[in-house]
Amino acid sequence: GVLYRDRIGDLREAEASFEQAFALDATCTIAAAGLGRIAFEKRNHRAAIEHLEPVLARLDELRTEEAAEVCTSAAESFAELGQPERSLDALKRARDLMPASLPHNERYAAALMRAGMAREAERLYAAIYDRFEERIDTSEKVRLLLARADAQIGAEHARDAVATVRRGLELRPEDPELLAALTRCHEATHDWNEVVNLLQLRARRAADAEQRFDLLVKTGDVFLEKLKDRDAAAQ
């Protein structure tokens, strides 16, 4: 089953082999994990959990990489089945199995955000950035800084988020995602003059007319609703 799945790429034959093994021994961890991961690939989340959930209790019987993959697959299936707490726990276990893996760390941090645990996500993103900064490229640094800033806004630490985004702008001064994030930060701090300045800057740099239109409309809304400047809003 493992050879068919990993070396030949024939999931049908892999599934048949795993099913034979599982029929012979229902406690066979490799067979259960194999069937669960194939069910996950087919987006059959109930079948995936039926096989993967028992495996979560005996991950030490698998290679570390496969155990982490089992946790990741189980987490997504739990989420699809409306069990977010179990999904979060599975992602934490994957991260704990492979603490030096950036993707596993990021998945867990993103799950904390989805669970409304912004403060925990903020701390984790800070730790991830400090740990991986020397080993990742500029794009990955910007991605982590953006995620950390969103977590800081969610944790009501918007002024810290401003500093975080500015670190990103030192790496990429004209990055549109960073400028949009900086706008969100100043919205959260109610610094409406900075919001207007950023919206106008982004409108001037907009890649197309529709994007520029949206930014100008938003600028007008801020002038009217926040700064009470009807003339500027109309303009």
Side-chain angles (χ1 to χ4, degrees), residues 11-210:
L11 290 183
R12 186 171 60 83
E13 289 293 344
E15 186 174 25
S17 296
F18 286 135
E19 283 176 345
Q20 274 189 285
F22 193 73
L24 290 167
D25 179 6
T27 67
C28 178
T29 298
I30 294 175
L35 289 170
R37 289 178 61 190
I38 289 172
F40 173 78
E41 290 296 329
K42 293 179 176 180
R43 316 309 293 170
N44 186 345
H45 295 292
R46 291 195 182 280
I49 288 302
E50 182 180 334
H51 288 295
L52 294 179
E53 189 171 12
V55 174
L56 294 174
R58 47 183 197 267
L59 292 172
D60 58 339
E61 296 179 21
L62 299 172
R63 291 179 297 104
T64 302
E65 294 82 357
E66 184 170 8
E69 197 62 42
V70 163
C71 291
T72 302
S73 299
E76 187 170 334
S77 290
F78 277 132
E80 290 290 335
L81 295 173
Q83 301 179 49
E85 291 183 4
R86 301 179 85 176
S87 175
L88 185 64
D89 180 66
L91 287 174
K92 182 180 185 300
R93 295 183 70 182
R95 193 280 309 263
D96 291 345
L97 283 164
M98 300 191 69
S101 164
L102 178 58
H104 285 298
N105 275 278
E106 284 191 90
R107 286 192 196 100
Y108 180 47
L112 287 171
M113 279 295 291
R114 289 194 298 273
M117 302 169 70
R119 292 179 187 272
E120 292 82 351
E122 177 188 0
R123 288 194 292 269
L124 181 53
Y125 276 121
I128 293 171
Y129 193 86
D130 290 343
R131 177 169 192 168
F132 291 93
E133 182 180 8
E134 299 300 322
R135 289 182 272 161
I136 58 179
D137 62 24
T138 299
S139 295
E140 291 170 315
K141 290 176 184 177
V142 168
R143 184 180 71 238
L144 285 173
L145 289 169
L146 284 167
R148 182 180 177 186
D150 282 337
Q152 288 170 319
I153 293 172
E156 299 182 353
H157 297 157
R159 296 197 183 280
D160 293 333
V162 171
T164 298
V165 175
R166 291 199 183 282
R167 287 179 69 181
L169 286 167
E170 290 174 5
L171 299 171
R172 283 190 175 169
E174 299 186 4
D175 187 287
E177 283 190 75
L178 286 166
L179 290 171
L182 189 58
T183 307
R184 294 195 298 274
C185 293
H186 285 301
E187 287 173 341
T189 61
H190 300 167
D191 191 343
W192 301 114
N193 286 314
E194 280 297 325
V195 170
V196 163
N197 289 337
L198 284 163
L199 288 171
Q200 290 174 328
L201 173 64
R202 291 166 58 200
R204 289 195 298 271
R205 294 180 179 177
D208 58 59
E210 184 175 354

